[in-house]
């Protein structure tokens, strides 16, 4: 069996910089026409100028014949100014500001400490029609790690949306029924991305026969009831939900550690993972809207003109992606489902 789709886009990806960028960017560029690149480098990508120079480094890291079109996000800080917002609004390569609550995840230390104090900035973004991509978790260490998304929605996001309904926001990597319900109940100015790992696994997967650092990401995997709500939303045809892998490479060394980094590297077979999951509940016909239409529509960009054909044909995911020194295991990156089968593969691109 095969299906042909409009070429998909990945609306949430971490491509890193330097040697890691050179190693991982091509995977994303082969699968997706466009990708929305997260700004959590160290130091972060805060200005249009920095974003354009990062964009050029990304283009240098991928073969030009792929015609990959990276779209950029800027890192929102308490110092983000109206001038920076206006510059972002005027730049076709920048699609918004990413909100990281300070301390929520990898390289979020430059982020926002008091989101409620940012209303003037949000108003300015709304006025210029600039979107915000949200890492939706509170960082209060007293809040249970599995509740941080729900508490963030209740304490922060609902208020922002109520007070500024015209402000266009994407709740990134939704992990809970609460997040799904929030997006559904909000206006079409609020959307959400969903990762393959949150559709595939519940939190048991992190503790299967021992601790599994390669299944650790943020927001962390949740209970089965939440996975079911995500799967239902992703395959429902509701245009508020679209594809964002959150592919987030870290070296094997930094994940297999006493204090391992959060992030799952899924760029190696991103569209195939989604195809497998959609097909597993007989909803493969819903993949095209989720992967190729709804994100472009939300960002008011044209849908892609190229196509890809996927076949129900088993492919084995590599155990790891090597660094430039093939024998240097500390530099390896371990992908999602490393060494396992995935039941769909890309047959051709046009
Ligand atoms: C991301 C990373 O490593 O940059 N990690 C993750 O677990 N998803 C950051 C993020 O999106 O939270
Ligand atoms: Zn991310």
């Amino acid at each position: 069996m095969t299906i042909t789709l409009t070429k998909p886009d990945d609306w949430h990806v971490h491509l890193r910089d330097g040697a890691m960028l050179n190693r991982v960017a091509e995977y994303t560029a082969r699968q997706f026409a466009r990708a929305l690149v997260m700004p959590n480098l160290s130091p972060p990508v805060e200005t249009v100028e920095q974003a354009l120079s990062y964009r050029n480094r990304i283009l240098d890291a991928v073969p030009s014949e792929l015609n990959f079109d990276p779209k950029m996000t800027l890192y929102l800080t308490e110092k983000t100014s109206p001038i920076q917002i206006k510059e972002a609004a005027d730049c076709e390569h920048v699609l918004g500001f990413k909100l990281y609550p300070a301390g929520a995840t990898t390289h979020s230390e430059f982020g926002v400490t008091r989101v409620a104090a940012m209303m003037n900035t949000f108003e300015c973004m709304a006025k210029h029609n600039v979107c915000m991509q949200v890492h939706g978790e509170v960082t209060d260490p007293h809040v249970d790690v599995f509740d941080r998304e729900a508490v963030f929605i209740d304490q922060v996001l609902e208020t922002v949306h109520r007070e500024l309904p015209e402000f266009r926001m994407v709740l990134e990597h939704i992990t809970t029924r609460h997040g799904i319900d929030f997006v559904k109940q909000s206006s079409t100015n609020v959307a959400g991305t969903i990762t393959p790992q949150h559709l595939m696994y519940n939190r048991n997967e992190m503790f299967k026969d021992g601790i599994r650092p390669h299944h650790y990401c943020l927001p962390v995997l949740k209970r089965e009831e939440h996975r079911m709500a995500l799967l239902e939303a992703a395959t429902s045809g509701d245009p508020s939900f679209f594809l964002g892998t959150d592919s987030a490479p870290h070296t094997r060394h930094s994940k297999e550690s006493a204090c391992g980094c959060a992030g799952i590297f899924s760029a190696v077979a991103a569209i195939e993972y989604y195809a497998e999951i959609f097909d597993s509940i007989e909803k493969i016909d819903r993949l095209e809207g989720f992967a190729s239409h709804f994100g472009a529509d939300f960002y008011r960009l044209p849908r892609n003109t190229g196509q890809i054909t996927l076949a129900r044909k088993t492919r084995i995911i590599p155990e790891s992606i090597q660094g430039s020194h093939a024998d240097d295991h500390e530099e390896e990156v371990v992908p999602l489902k490393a060494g396992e089968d995935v039941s769909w593969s890309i047959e051709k691109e046009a």
Side-chain angles (χ1 to χ4, degrees):
M1 183 189 168
T2 64
I3 60 159
T4 296
L5 314 175
T6 304
K7 192 144 192 205
D9 301 306
D10 181 353
W11 296 107
H12 183 131
V13 70
H14 300 268
L15 296 181
R16 313 304 192 205
D17 212 343
M20 185 67 99
L21 169 67
N22 288 319
R23 202 178 323 161
V24 302
E26 187 170 337
Y27 292 102
T28 296
R30 288 205 173 276
Q31 299 225 327
F32 298 103
R34 295 170 288 201
L36 188 56
V37 182
M38 294 299 124
N40 61 333
L41 305 181
S42 187
V45 179
E46 286 183 60
T47 65
V48 167
E49 197 187 343
Q50 289 164 347
L52 292 179
S53 117
Y54 182 31
R55 186 171 185 275
N56 285 335
R57 299 197 295 282
I58 296 168
L59 290 174
D60 285 344
V62 302
S64 55
E65 66 270 18
L66 295 177
N67 291 318
F68 181 55
D69 180 10
K71 299 291 185 193
M72 310 307 290
T73 51
L74 305 184
Y75 197 112
L76 187 71
T77 74
E78 280 154 20
K79 296 201 192 78
T80 299
S81 69
I83 294 169
Q84 286 171 336
I85 293 170
K86 172 83 171 56
E87 274 173 12
D90 292 342
C91 178
E92 59 169 331
H93 299 303
V94 173
L95 297 188
F97 283 83
K98 176 75 186 272
L99 169 64
Y100 287 107
T105 188
T106 309
H107 295 151
S108 63
E109 59 274 25
F110 315 97
V112 173
T113 311
R114 283 194 53 236
V115 181
M118 297 289 287
M119 277 319 271
N120 288 343
T121 306
F122 298 160
E123 274 168 33
C124 181
M125 289 169 67
K127 188 177 86 189
H128 289 288
N129 199 15
V130 172
C131 296
M132 179 161 77
Q133 292 79 21
V134 180
H135 184 109
E137 287 191 291
V138 291
T139 53
D140 178 348
H142 298 104
V143 177
D144 190 285
V145 68
F146 294 99
D147 296 335
R148 288 182 188 177
E149 180 173 288
V151 173
F152 185 86
I153 290 166
D154 288 349
Q155 291 186 351
V156 182
L157 220 47
E158 275 176 357
T159 315
V160 176
H161 184 51
R162 189 167 354 102
E163 291 186 7
L164 213 53
E166 69 276 25
F167 188 28
R168 306 179 65 244
M169 297 188 283
V170 183
L171 179 57
E172 299 294 337
H173 39 54
I174 305 177
T175 62
T176 57
R177 177 180 296 281
H178 211 81
I180 296 293
D181 289 345
F182 169 71
V183 170
K184 278 194 197 159
Q185 284 154 18
S186 302
S187 73
T188 52
N189 289 335
V190 176
T193 55
I194 305 180
T195 76
Q197 64 266 21
H198 292 102
L199 293 173
M200 218 181 262
Y201 300 134
N202 65 40
R203 63 192 193 177
N204 288 352
E205 206 63 29
M206 285 184 297
F207 309 105
K208 208 164 152 182
D209 307 320
I211 191 141
R212 300 283 184 161
H214 298 291
H215 289 146
Y216 173 57
C217 65
L218 286 169
V220 71
L221 296 172
K222 302 294 191 307
R223 284 179 182 277
E224 180 65 5
E225 65 172 287
H226 298 294
R227 186 183 78 88
M228 296 307 288
L230 297 171
L231 195 53
E232 204 280 322
T235 59
S236 67
D238 182 337
S240 298
F241 300 102
F242 46 83
L243 186 156
T245 61
D246 194 22
S247 179
H250 293 274
T251 59
R252 180 194 281 282
H253 175 70
S254 60
K255 293 213 41 97
E256 296 177 7
S257 144
C259 185
C261 295
I264 293 181
F265 177 55
S266 59
V268 163
I271 195 69
E272 292 98 324
Y273 300 130
Y274 286 105
E276 178 174 70
I277 303 155
F278 277 55
D279 189 33
S280 72
I281 58 161
E282 290 168 19
K283 290 278 175 62
I284 194 78
D285 58 313
R286 291 284 164 83
L287 184 62
E288 185 176 33
F290 177 81
S292 317
H293 295 164
F294 302 153
D297 298 351
F298 178 85
Y299 282 113
R300 300 175 178 163
L301 295 170
R303 293 178 181 180
N304 296 319
T305 47
Q307 294 183 318
I308 57 165
T309 298
L310 297 166
R312 197 197 270 130
K313 198 171 73 188
T314 299
R315 151 171 190 208
I316 301 168
I317 305 299
E319 293 281 358
S320 74
I321 304 303
Q322 301 289 334
S324 42
H325 307 285
D327 54 350
D328 186 352
H329 293 293
E330 292 196 352
E331 290 303 307
E332 285 176 318
V333 183
V334 177
L336 179 61
K337 290 195 93 179
E340 294 177 42
D341 286 354
V342 55
S343 56
W344 283 76
S345 8
I346 295 182
E347 191 145 277
K348 70 170 193 288
E349 293 168 39

